[in-house]
Amino acid sequence: MPQQPLAERMRPKDLDDYIGQSHLVGKNAILRRMVESGRVPSFILWGPPGVGKTTLAQIVANRLKVPFFTLSAINAGVKDVRDVIERASSDRFFNTASPILFIDEIHRFSKSQQDSLLSAVETGVITLIGATTENPSFEVIRPLLSRCQVYTLKSLGKEDLLQLLDRAIHTDVLLKQRKIVVEENEAILRFSGGDARKLLNILELLTNSDESEELVITNDKVTERLQENPAAYDKGGEMHYDIISAFIKSVRGSDPDAAIYWLARMIAGGEDPAFIARRLVILASEDIGLANPNALLLANACFDALKKIGWPEGRIILAETTIYLASSPKSNSAYLAIDEAIALVKETGNLPVPLHLRNAPTSLMKEMGYGKEYKYAHDYENHFIEQQYLPKELKSKSIWKPQESPAEVKLIAYLQKLWKNRYRF
């Protein structure tokens, strides 16, 4: 249908027209063999946006000639899941393949929503096909994961994207009526970021914004058109990295206005909320750290709450955490300390653990002096006794260097009171 977006018009209907993922759907590949045999178990497709997860699910349903139900985890609840399962059960005829239930962004389903699928999947009422951009090992409950195969899809490579571009220009019902010349392809490939949908969206943007008889695609033209359309946010390409970089640097730079603006840009562009939440957890430890340890607690609570609440209310949780982190005092002393410690380990190798710090589970080890001189800190005043914890070769080495945040000043004052001659800066 000409009124459909280009990406929808170009959606392949069978495996022979499917571009990419040859490790799954190529000749003698596992998914192709299962589809051709007519026996397809429940499975989850894991991969970045725009690599053909939804398309593959539709092709499987078409090939098996079974009813195809679809739900989006963004706006479906437990009741929606149960309604679809009931319809699928009533549509199934004796001794026929199970209807397919496709759930897009299944990682956004809460535990209760995923639980509601278990019985239907286990009894074969439905064949579940889930799509996710997140590692299902972390985002899908174990009982459901154990009932599904997981197949990993990859970003499309250069040759795949060029094949798709050529096919769209020469076979699409609208584009084939125009003269389109790809003079340069570096920019359109770069901005697509391995995402077929993004590539087709950019191509459509170029054709819609240029009514000349001949459209010549160049790197400058692609860049210019995308800059004129800031809403064309690219979750897999250059703009994605630019905006998340601006967001991170605004939080780090203690500018809550800028941070909330870039958060809004990501939300408007369809960024995965879980991706943003993970970045906030990293920011809380990398850039705020010991200056305000509560930041990590809040960021982690944000990540958990987002899974429970979902969207669109989840945007408020992200906003609260973003503003708090941007407004918080900053310190990267823990980040610098672990990097310095790792570098020290690489430089000095496997230095022996001091004998008094070693465990002595056998009598021989006790005879060798393992643990003999160890002093149990809780047996002493203030739960502290001065003794050597580092290898003797690093006895005087200073690794953690506190910064001038009030919280760290308090920590270092306490350590100096305990250690007397150590932790002096």
Side-chain angles (χ1 to χ4, degrees):
M1 295 175 63
Q3 66 268 30
Q4 291 180 313
L6 175 61
E8 193 60 35
R9 299 199 303 268
M10 291 300 301
R11 191 183 293 276
K13 301 296 190 296
D14 59 61
L15 289 179
D16 291 334
D17 293 330
Y18 189 87
I19 294 175
Q21 317 309 328
S22 59
H23 63 294
L24 295 177
V25 299
K27 185 178 180 181
N28 294 322
I30 183 167
L31 263 180
R32 180 179 283 271
R33 292 203 310 269
M34 287 195 305
V35 170
E36 290 176 347
S37 72
R39 296 186 299 274
V40 176
S42 293
F43 61 86
I44 294 173
L45 299 171
W46 171 29
V51 296
K53 297 186 291 293
T54 302
T55 298
L56 192 51
Q58 291 177 347
I59 289 174
V60 170
N62 290 340
R63 186 67 179 263
L64 297 181
K65 294 182 172 56
V66 296
F68 183 76
F69 301 92
T70 181
L71 288 175
S72 172
I74 297 176
N75 48 36
V78 172
K79 183 179 182 301
D80 300 299
V81 174
R82 288 174 177 160
D83 287 347
V84 167
I85 291 173
E86 186 176 338
R87 287 167 54 201
S89 179
S90 63
D91 282 355
R92 186 181 180 188
F93 295 101
F94 178 73
N95 211 27
T96 59
S98 304
I100 288 176
L101 171 57
F102 174 69
I103 300 180
D104 195 17
E105 302 192 76
I106 193 171
H107 60 275
R108 295 197 189 188
F109 257 16
S110 66
K111 182 180 183 299
S112 61
Q113 289 170 308
Q114 294 186 38
D115 280 336
S116 66
L117 295 164
L118 282 174
S119 177
V121 172
E122 189 168 29
T123 58
V125 170
I126 59 167
T127 296
L128 172 67
I129 301 180
T132 177
T133 56
E134 302 298 319
N135 189 333
S137 299
F138 302 125
E139 306 295 342
V140 177
I141 60 173
R142 188 173 298 277
L144 186 58
L145 196 60
S146 69
R147 291 163 173 80
C148 299
Q149 299 293 320
V150 176
Y151 299 114
T152 304
L153 280 70
K154 305 172 184 177
S155 295
L156 298 188
K158 179 180 178 180
E159 296 305 316
D160 294 330
L161 293 172
L162 289 176
Q163 182 184 351
L164 178 61
L165 183 62
D166 183 74
R167 181 182 293 179
I169 291 172
H170 293 101
T171 67
D172 176 65
V173 64
L174 294 183
L175 298 192
K176 68 181 181 180
Q177 299 176 22
R178 298 188 60 180
K179 185 175 182 181
I180 301 174
V181 178
V182 181
E183 190 172 280
E184 297 173 321
N185 58 37
E186 290 85 358
I188 195 169
L189 294 179
R190 184 176 74 250
F191 280 110
S192 69
D195 183 329
R197 187 186 307 110
K198 191 63 182 177
L199 178 82
L200 295 173
N201 288 346
I202 296 171
L203 178 59
E204 189 167 38
L205 174 65
L206 293 170
T207 57
N208 290 342
S209 61
D210 190 328
E211 298 181 356
S212 59
E213 184 175 335
E214 180 181 76
L215 169 61
V216 179
I217 297 177
T218 65
N219 294 335
D220 288 343
K221 183 169 289 186
V222 171
T223 303
E224 178 186 343
R225 291 291 184 267
L226 287 177
Q227 287 175 344
E228 291 172 357
N229 293 267
Y233 180 82
D234 179 3
K235 289 186 285 183
E238 190 170 277
M239 195 177 295
H240 161 85
Y241 296 106
D242 287 345
I243 291 180
I244 190 61
S245 175
F247 174 72
I248 291 167
K249 288 170 182 173
S250 298
V251 173
R252 181 182 295 145
S254 300
D255 189 341
D257 286 338
I260 207 73
Y261 168 79
W262 294 118
L263 173 63
R265 283 286 298 274
M266 288 190 286
I267 291 172
E271 184 59 82
D272 183 359
F275 172 80
I276 303 172
R278 277 195 299 274
R279 288 307 319 179
L280 289 170
V281 173
I282 295 168
L283 275 163
S285 54
E286 179 178 336
D287 293 298
I288 296 168
L290 294 169
N292 180 10
N294 286 331
L296 182 55
L297 299 177
L298 182 65
N300 197 52
C302 166
F303 190 84
D304 290 341
L306 197 62
K307 291 183 178 180
K308 296 172 184 174
I309 301 302
W311 208 250
E313 291 81 1
R315 76 192 192 285
I316 307 168
I317 302 168
L318 289 173
E320 177 186 350
T321 308
T322 294
I323 292 170
Y324 182 82
L325 265 58
S327 305
S328 181
K330 306 294 189 296
S331 170
N332 66 344
S333 67
Y335 171 57
L336 296 177
I338 187 58
D339 279 358
E340 181 168 341
I342 290 172
L344 185 61
V345 169
K346 288 181 179 178
E347 178 188 341
T348 58
N350 295 323
L351 296 176
V353 176
L355 278 178
H356 65 283
L357 297 182
R358 300 186 192 186
N359 253 346
T362 69
S363 57
L364 176 60
M365 289 178 173
K366 288 179 182 177
E367 291 173 10
M368 294 173 64
Y370 282 32
K372 184 178 180 181
E373 302 296 330
Y374 174 66
K375 300 179 179 66
Y376 185 59
H378 294 294
D379 288 342
Y380 298 86
E381 185 179 358
N382 295 322
H383 305 273
F384 175 82
I385 180 67
E386 188 168 342
Q387 60 186 324
Q388 180 67 28
Y389 292 100
L390 281 168
K392 64 179 182 180
E393 294 86 349
L394 304 176
K395 183 176 181 179
S396 59
K397 183 67 178 177
S398 173
I399 299 175
W400 175 54
K401 298 174 178 61
Q403 297 173 2
E404 295 181 359
S405 65
E408 284 179 282
V409 169
K410 187 176 179 180
L411 288 176
I412 200 62
Y414 172 72
L415 289 174
Q416 288 174 344
K417 180 180 178 183
L418 293 177
W419 285 94
K420 303 298 188 292
N421 298 317
R422 200 168 162 213
Y423 292 103
R424 300 290 172 181
F425 300 95

